Amino acid sequence: MTAESVKPRVQWPVPPQDGYTVDDLFTLPDLPPHTELIDGSLVFVSPQRYFHFATIDLLVSGLRRTLPSDLKVAREMTVVLDKRNGPEPDISVVRAEAVTDRRQTHFKAADVLLAIEVVSPDSEARDRDSKPHKYAAAGIPHFWLVEMGGQDDHPVVQVYERGEATGTYALTGIHHDHVKASVPHDIDIDLTAIDAL
């Protein structure tokens, strides 16, 4: 065996005894793109499917079409929920003043009005269970869960709103062909337009 045939091993970071913090998430060198922090653990994402990419594009452009000037849409930006949780929603609608500069890497939960997760095979449990609970606990008022559905594999959008009394999300609608909502702003998105992407 020659030196050229030996492949270098990847050196994964060893977690601290109490897990990672959001400070670690932003300072550890060479983390893969879109690494999330969930309950003090680093979560690496697998390559995305075309459905995931196209659905995010469709929703981002639909949200931006009717966006008031005091809000902005961001895709795949970390949201700091607490010291041990920094997930990266696929899409966030944030207060415009939360966008401070072009080098910014994250938002605070208090600045997010809507978090959207497009379910992928490797993230089903996180997107359906743990992330919605964490977003609601952090006070994010609206959450959408988007899945592939029907015979045509179109996006199906489940819309949730956080109840102030319970601090949890309640389902307010399931949209198969069209999303029309008035919160957090007037929204009108044709989901069948994914066929043109």
Side-chain angles (χ1 to χ4, degrees), residues 105-180:
T105 59
H106 62 279
F107 297 109
K108 296 176 186 167
D111 292 319
V112 180
L113 301 178
L114 168 63
I116 300 174
E117 293 291 351
V118 179
V119 176
S120 294
D122 75 314
S123 67
E124 287 180 52
R126 289 188 307 274
D127 292 345
R128 291 181 183 147
D129 300 322
S130 59
K131 285 185 177 183
H133 293 295
K134 291 178 184 312
Y135 294 153
I140 296 174
H142 305 281
F143 172 71
W144 291 5
L145 183 69
V146 186
E147 301 193 61
M148 185 187 303
Q151 292 178 329
D152 54 5
D153 290 340
H154 278 190
V156 176
V157 178
Q158 298 172 43
V159 175
Y160 295 84
E161 188 167 348
R162 184 178 181 273
E164 286 301 317
T166 63
T168 60
Y169 289 128
L171 182 66
T172 61
I174 300 175
H175 305 269
H176 294 269
D177 297 319
H178 205 100
V179 177
K180 196 161 184 139

Side-chain angles (χ1 to χ4, degrees), residues 6-164:
V6 176
K7 292 183 181 177
R9 289 188 47 173
V10 174
Q11 293 295 316
W12 295 105
V14 177
Q17 182 175 346
D18 296 327
Y20 290 108
T21 66
V22 290
D23 291 336
D24 298 323
L25 179 65
F26 299 128
T27 58
L28 280 171
D30 302 322
L31 287 178
H34 309 295
T35 299
E36 298 182 284
L37 180 69
I38 307 291
D39 293 329
S41 295
L42 297 175
V43 177
F44 308 120
V45 297
S46 63
Q48 66 178 322
R49 293 180 173 183
Y50 190 82
F51 171 82
H52 193 266
F53 162 83
T55 299
I56 291 173
D57 271 4
L58 174 71
L59 295 175
V60 165
S61 42
L63 289 165
R64 283 188 176 141
R65 244 191 329 275
T66 58
L67 202 66
S69 61
D70 62 335
L71 300 177
K72 296 240 183 226
V73 177
R75 61 183 293 160
E76 302 166 322
M77 288 281 291
T78 299
V79 175
V80 176
L81 303 180
D82 58 39
K83 181 181 176 180
R84 295 172 42 85
N85 288 283
E88 186 179 283
D90 291 312
I91 305 168
S92 301
V93 174
V94 300
R95 291 179 175 80
E97 67 265 14
V99 179
T100 56
D101 66 56
R102 298 192 196 287
R103 293 188 177 127
Q104 182 172 349
T105 59
H106 62 279
F107 297 109
K108 296 176 186 167
D111 292 319
V112 180
L113 301 178
L114 168 63
I116 300 174
E117 293 291 351
V118 179
V119 176
S120 294
D122 75 314
S123 67
E124 287 180 52
R126 289 188 307 274
D127 292 345
R128 291 181 183 147
D129 300 322
S130 59
K131 285 185 177 183
H133 293 295
K134 291 178 184 312
Y135 294 153
I140 296 174
H142 305 281
F143 172 71
W144 291 5
L145 183 69
V146 186
E147 301 193 61
M148 185 187 303
Q151 292 178 329
D152 54 5
D153 290 340
H154 278 190
V156 176
V157 178
Q158 298 172 43
V159 175
Y160 295 84
E161 188 167 348
R162 184 178 181 273
E164 286 301 317

